Amino acid sequence: MSEEKRKPTPEEKAKAAAEAREKLEAARKAKEEQAAQASAPEAVASSPEQNAVKAEAEPASADQLAQAKAEAAAKAKAAAAAAAAAKAKAAREAAEGGATDTKAAETEAGGADADAKAKAAAAAKAKAAAAAAAAAKAKAAREAAEAGATETEAGGADADAKAKAAAAAKAKAAAAAAAAAKAKAAREAADGGAAETEAGGDDADAKAKAAAAAKAKAAAAAAAAAKAKAAREAGEGGAAGAEAGGDDADAKAKAIAAAKAKAAAAAAAKAKAAGGDAADTEAAPKAPSKNQPHLDHIVKLITEKFGSEVIEASYINELAKEVPTLVIKNENWHDVAKFLKENDELSFDYLSNLHGVDYEDRMEVYYHFYSYKNRQNLAVKVKTDREQPTVASVMNIWSGANWNERETYDLLGIYFPGHSELRRIMLPEEWVGHPLRKDYVPFDEEV
Amino acid sequence: MSMNLDMISLNSEFSEGTGLRTEEMLLNVGPQHPSTHGVFRLVVKIDGETIKESLPVIGYLHRGTEKLAEGLNYTQIIPYTDRMDYLSAMTNNYVICHAVETMMGIQIPERADFLRVIVMEMNRIASHLVWWGTYLLDIGAMSPFLFAFRDREMILELFNELCGARLTYNYMRIGGVKWDAPPGWIEKVKEFVKHLKKEIENYHALVTGNEIFINRLQGIGKFDAKTAIDYSLSGVMLRSTGVKWDLRKDEPYSVYNRFEFDVPTATEGDCLARYQLRMAEIEQSLRILEQALGQFPEEGEIMGKVPKVIRPPQGETFVRIESPRGEIGCYIASNGKDKPWRMKFRRPSFNNLQILPKLLKGENISNMVAILGSIDIVLGEVDA
């Protein structure tokens, strides 16, 4: 990845963008890289570029057309990519770096000539749409933005070196923003919107377009802000947008409206988040499970009969429909099992399921019982050593345990002393090893 | 597959009274045999026509679903469940989704829940129709098979329209279903329900009242409730002994508690009782379908709010639901990652088949296929 960054050619990028979809895991790395880039090298790079652009602002020329186009494209991409990618959590640093860069550049674009702006706005919209599609995945978005930078450089044939440098810098900023966009993206989108409002100069047409774009982004930001975290960021963005209102009344009104919309969305999201929090805190002191009395009763009966030390643990398993769960000491398991079935108050006559689990430091056999008489579920776990895994067979208590124990022996190598014919059931007799063990390696006759 | 045949020892003796010398012999049935409905092997020791002992050999279709599951994320496992009980893939889809949803506390949109119930009940009917047709084929009647497959074909066509597959649907997702009902689909299902309600009458007229048929099945493959529970039997195998137990009713999941239906039971515990119960279950499924189609929400989401990457919290879960063959369960041990640490399916066919040697002992060899067929196994599920 870092090599591609240093020597970017269009082919490489296009390839990378295509590969991006497959390399989901690389996205995380990319994020970190972006963070580093945005905070360190770009911060240095940005200052000379900004100076350059300032110097250029005075002689308004054809160069500016290219520049404005480049900027608008970069912006649009940044915003669209940010909005599209708005899901995951983000490298906030990268976003900040990007935002500052883009903003600074945009402010200077303010005085540009009307025709250029109008075109820029149109181009921005078109590209935004394209970028939005391209940006579907964070990484892909970054590549696309980079590719965009290259394009822009090629397009502005008569633009001078400075303009090129500026465009490239912005594109990078946009890329950084795109990569950072996971979740905190709402803020960037909002920033982008604000910046475009600033960009609104004297020409009404250009302004109108810019405002429209800003609105669209505000909407995107609002959508992204739907998540509780993002909401706060959007709020900030909204504030910035309000400040950014230009001197023209129309533009201001629009900006204010957009800001209000954002603020409302943010407020709603916040309220929701707050509501959620409140609900969470309310739910915190949980009512004891409806099965708690059953569990207590079972524990009491077993303790009375065998003493408390046979039960290693007892709890309600919230994840499994609140089933009362017992962990029984291995040595006592057969006696306790017999008791579970034969005691009148327990009478767990039905063995629903029996299987083993390899936890690498130990093995466990998991039983699920049901009592048709008492209409009550019970889960039991018996732990055993991994080297010589042995759990007493319950086949003579529940006939249904027969094949289940054989299967557990076959696939996990757990021995069930007391089983009448403990041999493989799924695999051939001559099979080597027990496949469901975590350290299982398929036996190869050739080796 | 080498098998431990030492378990069966042969001997010869003189039968009492006649003075004729009899000899025991081993008869190998399967694994390739039409009456085993798949790759199931049965080694039977017979003396004359009487079965002395039998030894089921399974594993010919073992694909290691549970092992494979450990290397896949939860959504990727769903297609593998299609291939366990391939006659009722919808319930298999449901059990894994239900297990993950239980762990993560995911809410399912109403429309998705209704679609799930509708397809599960349609699949139950399709599964019972296959059983009905092939079971009668096993015991010597050809035409019911043709009727059953004609009507089952209509269900498969409807499924094909819904999700593009006839057997391995891969239809459900964690949080909902993959495809919404296409326009007009619900009406087509309604039409089908009407059609099958009429057809069921024909089925009964054709077979159920037939005296030869009744005499053929009455009293064979008999066991009582205590034995059924002891052998971990479930579904029709359990209900045929008088235990009124249906997870749809007794531990309701999805939206089953909104529908009125009966749990048919019988007390005889023989092959005929199991036949009657399956036929009655088709009618009850039609009843559920009618209500579900009537209450089907006009519009709504088909997927609930589900995180992009499905990571159930650390811990374990076990859920069980009612499949056409009995109680299908799914156990998941999660370590908080996107792949299960251990996944185990409690397969009704596997557990129900265990009782076969007990049922065959002392039976006439001609009843062997009738008894095996009445258990209604799917080998994909037995071997997983």
Side-chain angles (χ1 to χ4, degrees), chain A residues 317 319 321 350-352 355-356 358 370 372 375 377 381 399-400 403-404 407 425-426 435 438, chain B residues 58 67 70 98 229-230 232 238 245 250-251 316-317 320 327 331 341-342 344 346-347 351 354:
Chain A
N317 189 350
L319 296 179
K321 301 187 174 177
Y350 177 72
L351 173 69
S352 167
H355 67 265
D358 179 6
Y370 187 76
Y372 280 107
R375 305 258 144 174
N377 285 289
K381 301 207 291 177
S399 303
W403 283 14
N404 286 295
E407 190 187 18
I425 187 165
M426 291 295 170
K438 290 289 175 184
Chain B
I58 61 171
K67 178 74 179 172
E70 288 174 11
H98 185 50
I229 292 172
D230 185 40
S232 300
L238 179 63
W245 178 254
D250 294 286
E251 289 182 0
E316 48 194 352
T317 192
R320 44 192 198 142
E327 176 188 314
Y331 167 92
W341 177 258
R342 169 85 164 96
K344 155 85 185 178
R346 191 256 185 226
R347 291 108 55 202
N351 284 279
Q354 283 194 73

Side-chain angles (χ1 to χ4, degrees), chain A residues 87 315 317 319-321 341 349-360 364 366 368 370 372 375 377 381 397-400 402-404 407 411-412 421 423 425-430 435-438 440, chain B residues 1-2 4 7 55-56 58-59 62 66-67 70 98 102-103 229-234 238 243-245 250-251 308 313-320 327 331 333 341-342 344 346-347 350-351 353-354 382-383:
Chain A
K87 270 166 200 169
Y315 56 92
N317 189 350
L319 296 179
K321 301 187 174 177
K341 183 173 183 183
D349 47 1
Y350 177 72
L351 173 69
S352 167
N353 187 31
L354 185 169
H355 67 265
V357 188
D358 179 6
Y359 282 107
E360 283 184 321
E364 277 184 15
Y366 184 99
H368 189 98
Y370 187 76
Y372 280 107
R375 305 258 144 174
N377 285 289
K381 301 207 291 177
I397 304 171
W398 295 276
S399 303
N402 183 352
W403 283 14
N404 286 295
E407 190 187 18
L411 303 180
L412 276 155
E421 44 159 327
R423 55 192 175 83
I425 187 165
M426 291 295 170
L427 305 173
E429 283 295 330
E430 59 272 18
L436 278 180
R437 282 184 167 231
K438 290 289 175 184
Y440 171 74
Chain B
M1 179 180 290
S2 79
N4 203 346
M7 305 219 27
L55 186 69
I58 61 171
H62 179 64
E66 289 164 9
K67 178 74 179 172
E70 288 174 11
H98 185 50
T102 305
M103 275 189 119
I229 292 172
D230 185 40
Y231 273 86
S232 300
L233 305 187
S234 53
L238 179 63
V243 181
K244 195 166 185 166
W245 178 254
D250 294 286
E251 289 182 0
K308 198 106 192 160
Q314 189 162 6
E316 48 194 352
T317 192
F318 178 70
V319 298
R320 44 192 198 142
E327 176 188 314
Y331 167 92
W341 177 258
R342 169 85 164 96
K344 155 85 185 178
R346 191 256 185 226
R347 291 108 55 202
F350 178 75
N351 284 279
L353 190 57
Q354 283 194 73
V382 172
D383 294 342

